[in-house]
Amino acid sequence: MVFGGIVSSARGSLSPHQALDLANIYLENACNANDPDIVLALCHDTEVSLSHAKRAAKHAENQTLNRGMAIAYIDLGKLLESRGHSSEAQVSYKKAIKLGGNVQDAGRPTKSSRLSYIVQSLKRTSLNAGAPQAFDPSLQSKHKQCHSVAMIPAHIFAKNVRPLAIELKLPGADERLVSTSQLAWCLSILQDFRSPDEALEPSVLLWLKTVEKDTEEQDRLQTMATEVINAFKRDESKDTKAFAEVTKLAPVLSKTIFRDLLTETYSWIERTGSLDIHHLEVFIQLIKGAEPGHLCAADLVKILELLCSRLGDTRQQSTPNVCLLALGISRVLDAMVDTKVTDLDLKALHEPLAPYLTKLKENLDPYVVYQAAYTFQALLCVPESEVAWQTNQQRAKNGALGTTGLSRAEKSMDLDRFFGELEGIQKGLAGTCEITDLVNTTTYDDVVYLTEFVLGQGIQDSLKLNRSFERKCAWYSALRAANALIQNGELASFKKIVCEAPCRLDPAFQWGVCQRLGEIAANPIWDTDTRRGAIAFLGEIYKNDDVWGQQAGVRQWILNILMQLASSSGTGLQLHATVAEALLQGLEAGGDATKQALYQACREKGPVSYPLKVAEAEIASPSLLDRAQNRSDVEGSLRLLRKRRAKEHDNAIYIPPQAKANLQAADITRVPLMEKVKEFLNSDRKVFLLLGESGSGKSTFIRELEFELWQSYKAKTGRIPLHINLPNIDKPEHDMIGKQLRKSEFTEPQIREMKQHRKFILICDGYDESQQTRNLYTSNRLNQPGEWDAQMIISCRSEYLGDDYRGRFQPGDGNQTSGSSLLQEAVITPFSLDQVQAYIKQYVSVNQPLWQTDDYKQALEFIPGLKDLVKNPFLMTLSLDVLPRMADPGENLSTTRVTRLTLYDHFVVQWLEQGKKRLGEKDLDPQVKAVFEVLCDEGFTHHGVGYLKKLAAEIYRKQGGFPAVKYSRTKDERSWKGEFFGQDDEKQLLLEACPLTRSGNQYQFIHQSILEYGLALAVFDPQDWGEGAIPESALTRREGMNSCLSFEILNPAEGATPIEQESDIDSPLVWKSFVNDHSLLQLLEERVQGEPVFKQQLLDFIENSKTDEKWRIAAANAITILVRAGVQFIDTDLKRIRIPGADLSYGLFDSVQLQGADLRKVNLRGAWLRQTDLSGAQMTGAQLGELPFLAENSEVRSCGYTPDEKLFTVGLSSGSINLYATSNWERTRTLVGHTGVVRYVAHAPKGQQLASCSQDNTMRLWNMETGACQRVLTGHGGWIQCVAYSPQGDRIASAGDDKTVRLWDVATGDCRCTLLGHTGGVLSVIYSPDGHQIASGSADSSVRLWNAETGSCRHVLTGHNNGVWGLSYAPQGDQVASASEDSTIRLWDVQTGDCRHILAGHSSSVLCVAFSPRGDQVASGSLDGTVRLWDVATATSRHTLTGHSDSVTSVVYLSKGDQVASGSRDKTVRLWDVSNGASCFVSDSHSMNVLSAKCSPKGDQIASGSMDRTIRFWDVKTGTCLRTVTGHSGTVFGIAYSPQGDQLVSGSADKSVRLWDVEMGTCRHVLTGHSKWVSSVAYSPQGRQVASASDDKTVKLWDVSTGYCRGTLYGHADGVLSVAYSPNGKQIASGSKDHTIRLWDSGTMACRDILKSHGDWVWVVAYSPQGNQLASASDDKSVRLWDVETGGCRMVLTGHSRGVTSVAYSLNGALLASGSWDKTARLWDVASGQCRMVIRNFQEPIRSVAWSAICDANYLVTGSVDGSVLKWQVISEEDPCRVRLCWRTTNGSLVVTGASVQGVHGLTELNKQLLKQRGAICESRHLRIESSRS
């Protein structure tokens, strides 16, 4: 195939003229191109072509050629210079000068100047005969033989034409191919035009350059060609359509594939015997299309034998079939010539072929005779071997040489040389007749003898006369050259051959020429002008006897062709049939009478149907290509998917996120998330759960992950990353992968193939948005036999899940233990400051906003609360978008208020304004434009917000909040969807402007939070209240200062009127519960805090529910929102409210009336219900979040469930064992027998027996049914620390202080074996689940693994650095956990003995450990009094359970894994619910002990310091957390305000003192110098100095302004716990662990006095406001009042039952408050020393007390170990004093002290016990207990 005038076979052998022509074509295209890259590429191609022309013309002295090249170089230089490439232009000019060019005289490159040489060249070679005259005068006689040059009008075939296939559209990468021709075209471009010397159209060149870079697309095209051939091979019928299709690919197939195709074709023909005329024709085309070298001698001989066998019996063959057989044979022989096959046995080849062909020359059909002669000529041109033709044809050697030369000339198409070769052939052939003899055969004079076949007699005679069946003839070679030129569109060159060939008057040549012209005219693929030119060419030959001779057979053949054309029909043929008929009519009167008689005879006879190649054979439907493309070409479709996903990935801002191991892990433990995911992908785990709050960047990360996975994807073998947006999949719990692949346009065969053979990485986004509760891994049967092979990464908002969420994601049966190790999770942590800065930098670079990076940094520094907001990536994006609208960088940013809601408000308005602008710039239809203008006049943004919130509300109402809306115009026009997505102009305008995305027929908000924001607006839109909004300052509570039920206007502003509002029955809060929709609640709680009117609406909903049941859902929603917003209900009348299902967790309801309330399924976890009246309330299903504890009379040392879990056993330090029924937790029996502490109890596997061991050195076996002691086992030489049953129950292992493990026979009581090896007492022992192994832990710090049968030691596990007190095997038996005095738990691999994980977190010795039933968790108990739950997979702490006041000695799981029981030395057993957690609401409270609380001198805030290393500032009125400051790396022990209240000082376990700016929360100074922790700090009254007390036994004094240490006070014999300045600043007091108080002179730093009356640590010292008295609190349970002047103890205040931790004077000095380890606070009268009030409502010890610092307020603040800060109003005028809770900040325990629960319905037995234990008033005769089933 040839393009741009270049013959395909001349790829590397262009003549100088052709190379120059090609260079000028490239140059012309470069001048017309606009794209700089294309221009440079074409200039490069021009240079390469010119270089080729120079090389080819190196030895030729051709001035015209040199001049042409010089002009081209000059024009190239000018073009390069005009495009800014001066250096390249100079190089081009120099080359032009060397060729004789004059650069200075050259003008700008123009088309006319550039083509001037081309025109001359084409005129000379007849490649472009564009002269206006009728005949080309340059075509003169150049050959002096017996022929002349013929003249054909210039307009006929005046120029070469494009190759036939060039009009086909080139496909995009991975685009479906439309036809096999298109595929062949693509492959031919890739094969033929890899060289820059080739000329291509710009579009083709661009495609080629693109595909050359895309190896995958090249592979796809090659693979598709192979698949088409494979489809052909699979096709049993192999009709002509199939043959025709594969024939198109023949020229572009690789040698292997082509020969495979040829073999299949031959075999099929041989096998079926099918070789009709149609098959034969396409078979011929197949051979003809073979590339050189693809046909070997054996193939050709085999094909010849097949064809010859068919040709042998001509009697059974139709004439057209005989012709085609001959033609086929000629094609094979042509191929032999072209491929220069060697080692052929020509004698075998000629026989019997030559006789067959010779026989055909006697045929009466001239077409048969002609084709036979053509075939014979091809036979004669087959290359000879050494043994070929030992005949007398030596005279043909010259001719043979000429033929070889012809082959070379044909390939280069130097026509002058070619004509010389033809003349050589004619001269070299002995016996050749003169052409004049041939001209006279069968002239018009013989027309009277015409018969049916005689019309072709002339061609038959001429073939005999010129011995075409004996010798090589020039006409054959000339026609072969003509074939090549026609095939490649070289029609001008074809015309030249026809007109100038030495054999042009040979009838055989003319016959062949006419046949080819007829085929051109008949083929609709050629353009119209070309086909008309072919018909006209035939007319010229017919008419001009003087030029073409009078051969009647040729004229007959022309007429026959024209008649066939005139009678043809079909697509593309009608017009040319008309042209042919018109020509026939014009020829009727031409010539003399004899010629007219010939014409009439032919017309009367009509056309004889000889095979003209009218058109390509029809392609089957479906075609082979369709079948190939419809086959599961997985990789092609995957490439399309990859490119589509890469395009969708775009260049969004991406900051690599950090993640922690689980929700309970601390943020400081975070690691790069991408690393964790890749670690997961390289592991055997199956599910990776990615959690994070709304907007945390989960989807952004998932897109980046998918992009990276596609980048590294390996075709055919790699795992396929498949992104699944779960809300867009219908019912993803079934066939999720198949549904996604169908959405991605994969075929069913492809899906089946991938399911069977490929592996996937599923990236599932939006588990929460799809509202799933199913385990998608198990419901989709992933990795089951015959199912999808996949790892799954799935994202979910963390607030969507409860505590026991892992069952939704864990592979396998949720009850199976194996699944725990297959699940990994990670939680995206908030942005760090560095990530925030990096995000801002990227954002400014990408978006070019109005603000610069420094402007945003300034905003972060000064806008209150903004730093916390932007830790959320989505809110970060919103912030950066809208901040320039909200403030100017130069203004006072500290007054700018930014909340989550304000960000959404501004963002949505900005989006709508941009949408309005886009619509305004569009060319809208007049009618649409009119609607748009009305919207603008009425407020486009207002309409847009209304549209958004209505749509959001309907999505929740109609779809339950499912975010994706599918809209079908035909189905949904009249539904609710039509109201938003219908064709109404207004709807379409608002739809286009709103923040929505569209995918097909599916609409969705751009982010889930926008949907939630829209619903929040539907609940309450401040704009709807507009002018009616009541200023918050004008509002006060109707039922007293602390009532939150209603509002009234006390002093209305002038002109303002109260709003008369009715409750909105259409509010979304009325018709749907949103209690668990935490993201929405977060927005609504913000709305409450900023909109008093909304707060009142919610209170009204609650009020309405008292009398009307229809408001119960609204009331439940309302009170949930209010509680979350921090609204506290104190002394409030809530009688008979209906709030079923509400979430009141951690809410404050102090002294509230809830009589008769509907509290069914209400979450009361951590609620403060002190003195609340719940009488008669409905509480069925109420969740208290806690379980009751068992109180014992002595320390609990061991506990456990029986196997059926009906009984619970407790071993006590008293030596007794108590048994409890788990149905009601009543004691059923006490086992008495041990005389020492019961160290351990263990139940037999069948539950019939109990084993116990004691410090009395014995082990006892008890009958569980009777309680009798069955046997006492003795033998250990010391305490027995632990016992364990084997899984079969026939043996018991015991661990003793005598360093041994003993194995006992249960039936006989005999000691069967003693295991020796430990060097210290054995503290723990346990059997493996299968009973084959025993583990023992010892005081020697080791764990030993023993063979249970042989007693041999298999492993010694070392790593602990202290005794191992507890052991537990994983249910799978592959791990053992060990608990040690070194404060750690270790998880060991029992096979290898390696330590897999170290669990660190306890602050003291770990005494016990237990694996959960599923093996995914470990529980541990410690000397620090806590129980911790650990995640096995990540080795991180998930929960810390506090409540015990002493060391935890035993932990055990319930079989379901949802409860843990712990026994403690505090004489209790506590039951912990570890599955049914509270709501995901997380308060701003401290997460650990509050050790110091102080009131600001300004009276506006309270500060607290905590073990969680933070300092928090609270609003004194509302309890809202104003700010959290971090910086200390250890516990914050002490804090103090400066006298002015603008600074705060803190002391920490990190040994530092920090000075903070209260307003900004920034650290001004870090003071270092202490060698141990800093336990207390104090400001001097003037604020210029700070004192710090430390455990290093010193007090240091610091200069506030400089941070320098001014002095150190030495004298205490132990750590100093407290320090205080006297009111006048002259004295400093310090309290110490040495039991003393020292009074120091602040000026001289001398110790003035030592106060020595306390008998234990002195925790706190405090001066009275008058300064004459000092109070001290001590661990000796007393508070002492000292006379500062004399140092004498004035008074000792006693009453606390444990140590006193804190003390503080009221502002007037009349009252003293103290807090204690006994969980009470006391108020003392300073004058009398009497206790005026005991506050007993604390769940944990009080560590700090402080009084308000302003005169008009009498408030007390307490800080507790449970992390709470409480503010109390003290009413001191009453006697005794009365306190009233103002607010509380905590996530602490349930408080029900003094609450009345008489007549409550639906309480379970456990809840009843819990309420009793917590101090609720519950008279049994009034309390109705119902089971949980009710």
Side-chain angles (χ1 to χ4, degrees), residues 761-777:
I761 299 172
L762 303 183
I763 308 171
C764 303
D765 194 15
Y767 180 86
D768 53 299
E769 294 178 31
S770 65
Q771 300 184 338
Q772 276 296 314
T773 57
R774 298 282 299 275
N775 186 318
L776 296 182
Y777 183 93

Side-chain angles (χ1 to χ4, degrees), residues 799 1078 1085 1123-1126 1143 1145-1147 1478-1484 1786-1787:
E799 58 265 35
H1078 306 292
E1085 69 184 74
V1123 168
R1124 288 178 60 100
D1143 185 358
S1145 55
Y1146 309 112
S1479 69
C1480 293
F1481 164 63
V1482 177
S1483 79
D1484 292 321
T1786 185
N1787 278 357

Side-chain angles (χ1 to χ4, degrees), residues 84 145 158 165 187 349 360 448 653 891 1050 1071 1082 1106 1318 1362 1369 1439 1539 1550 1797 1811:
Q145 291 81 7
L187 291 172
L349 184 66
L360 289 178
V448 294
I653 299 172
E891 68 183 34
L1050 292 182
W1071 43 260
Q1082 191 173 27
K1106 293 180 177 180
H1318 283 295
N1362 216 325
Y1369 269 97
H1439 292 287
D1550 64 9
V1797 291
L1811 293 175

Side-chain angles (χ1 to χ4, degrees), residues 1635 1637 1639 1650-1654 1658 1661 1664 1668-1673 1679-1691 1705:
H1635 307 179
I1637 301 162
L1639 303 181
I1650 302 176
L1651 313 181
K1652 301 180 177 179
S1653 291
H1654 280 297
V1658 179
V1661 291
S1664 66
N1668 61 336
Q1669 194 176 79
L1670 182 75
S1672 60
V1679 175
R1680 294 178 180 260
L1681 305 183
W1682 308 84
D1683 186 293
V1684 171
E1685 187 66 30
T1686 65
C1689 180
R1690 289 184 176 181
M1691 201 175 296
Y1705 281 95

